[in-house]
Amino acid sequence: MKKQLISLLLTFLFAGTAASAMQTDTGKYFTSFDGVKIYYEVKGAGYPVVLVHGFTGTSQGWKRGKLYGDLLADGYKVILIDLRGNGRSDKPHTDEAYANNAEAKDIIGLATLLGLKKYDVVGYSRGSIIASSLMLMDKRVNKTVMGGMGDGYTDPEWPRRIHFYKALMGDTSYRETDGLMKWVNSQPFDKLCLALQQKYQPSTSQAELSKVKKPVLIIRGTEDKENGSEITLKKMIPNAQLAYVPGDHNSASGTMQFANAVINFIK
């Protein structure tokens, strides 16, 4: 179990009105619906695809895999975002800043700022959880890819989420979180931000997923044992597709096969 947690965490490295854009060296910031500043990057000029990173990760992790470069080579506009509490985005310490699908609202605000009439979204691990909310909240989302995710997040009382939250708040009684805490304590993370992300991590119910009409692709590494059953998740979403690629939770998203599966699905 500890090895699986460490593998998971290493991978993660891998609607308000938006306004107040500010140029930086490699990207921009916008002010989201509640005043939180969110970092993003846009590259390319074609059909827009938003990439959503996982827990403890940043937008830059996508650049270490194949998908980012392959999307640009195929003529897509690639949009990266540091979810609030991560990377270069603001790291608020209030419960309200993470509640009520705040992260999906950030992406909706960015899409509005960029004038997107339609876009696809690709999430990996916790990014897939945010993408799941996003596809229900924003009618402009056309196709959704959920990588590294099973049905675990559909349970609002998911033990994994609750145990991670409690461990990040200092509870040492959950031995299965030892790998998480070893990783977090070895890095300059803001533990309160991470805890709040787990506390208010959204769930999407089976009833909500049953109403999804637009295309969804679930991608799973053949050795990935994290986050519940991908087969059960597929059954919850009408006409969802399921693809397997080589690798475990740590490596699958960076592979050529993952990139090919995404691009073949969205084109």
Side-chain angles (χ1 to χ4, degrees):
M1 181 65 178
K2 184 179 292 188
K3 290 181 179 178
Q4 289 179 346
L5 282 170
I6 293 171
S7 174
L8 171 65
L9 291 161
L10 287 174
T11 291
F12 295 147
L13 282 179
F14 183 118
T17 303
S20 238
M22 179 174 65
Q23 183 71 42
T24 68
D25 290 340
T26 57
K28 297 180 180 180
Y29 289 89
F30 77 97
T31 302
S32 196
F33 66 96
D34 59 350
V36 172
K37 287 185 171 56
I38 303 295
Y39 178 82
Y40 71 98
E41 298 180 17
V42 180
K43 191 168 183 179
Y47 181 81
V49 180
V50 178
L51 304 183
V52 189
H53 66 78
F55 188 53
T56 78
T58 76
S59 57
Q60 304 309 299
W62 289 105
K63 296 180 180 179
R64 294 191 285 271
K66 285 282 293 176
L67 179 61
Y68 178 78
D70 286 0
L71 284 169
L72 290 174
D74 279 7
Y76 290 93
K77 176 185 289 185
V78 182
I79 300 164
L80 301 177
I81 183 170
D82 282 352
L83 297 176
R84 57 176 58 207
N86 297 275
R88 301 183 189 184
S89 291
D90 280 354
K91 298 174 177 61
H93 282 181
T94 64
D95 286 52
E96 294 79 8
Y98 298 91
N100 301 314
N101 274 302
E103 293 148 310
K105 290 177 183 177
D106 292 337
I107 299 172
I108 290 170
L110 177 57
T112 299
L113 176 68
L114 297 176
L116 305 184
K117 293 181 170 56
K118 185 184 290 187
Y119 63 98
D120 293 345
V121 59
V122 180
Y124 195 78
S125 198
R126 189 174 185 275
S128 294
I129 298 174
I130 306 307
S132 181
S133 292
L134 183 64
M135 69 181 177
L136 292 169
M137 294 170 63
D138 192 354
K139 294 180 179 179
R140 294 172 294 181
V141 175
N142 183 31
K143 295 182 178 182
T144 301
V145 178
M146 299 172 64
M149 186 50 57
D151 67 325
Y153 82 101
T154 64
D155 177 6
E157 300 300 320
W158 190 16
R160 183 188 188 91
R161 177 189 66 78
I162 294 170
H163 293 174
F164 276 14
Y165 164 67
K166 290 183 176 180
L168 287 160
M169 292 298 291
D171 188 337
T172 60
S173 61
Y174 298 101
R175 305 314 306 171
E176 70 269 28
T177 67
D178 285 352
L180 165 72
M181 295 312 301
K182 182 178 180 180
W183 165 246
V184 168
N185 289 329
S186 73
Q187 303 294 322
F189 290 127
D190 186 320
K191 284 194 280 190
L192 181 55
C193 284
L194 296 181
L196 291 171
Q197 289 166 41
Q198 289 296 312
K199 183 177 182 180
Y200 292 104
Q201 181 170 276
S203 62
T204 307
S205 69
Q206 183 172 354
E208 291 172 312
L209 290 172
S210 71
K211 298 176 183 177
V212 173
K213 304 298 183 184
K214 292 182 178 178
V216 175
L217 173 65
I218 301 162
I219 306 181
R220 191 74 155 185
T222 54
E223 305 303 318
D224 187 355
K225 309 302 181 185
E226 307 288 345
N227 299 324
S229 169
E230 71 280 5
I231 295 172
T232 301
L233 180 60
K234 178 182 182 296
K235 291 177 180 177
M236 293 179 179
I237 306 173
N239 303 311
Q241 300 177 39
L242 175 59
Y244 290 97
V245 300
D248 57 16
H249 198 83
N250 182 43
S251 60
S253 65
T255 63
M256 174 183 65
Q257 292 89 344
F258 184 92
N260 289 342
V262 171
I263 292 171
N264 288 336
F265 174 68
I266 66 176
K267 68 182 179 182

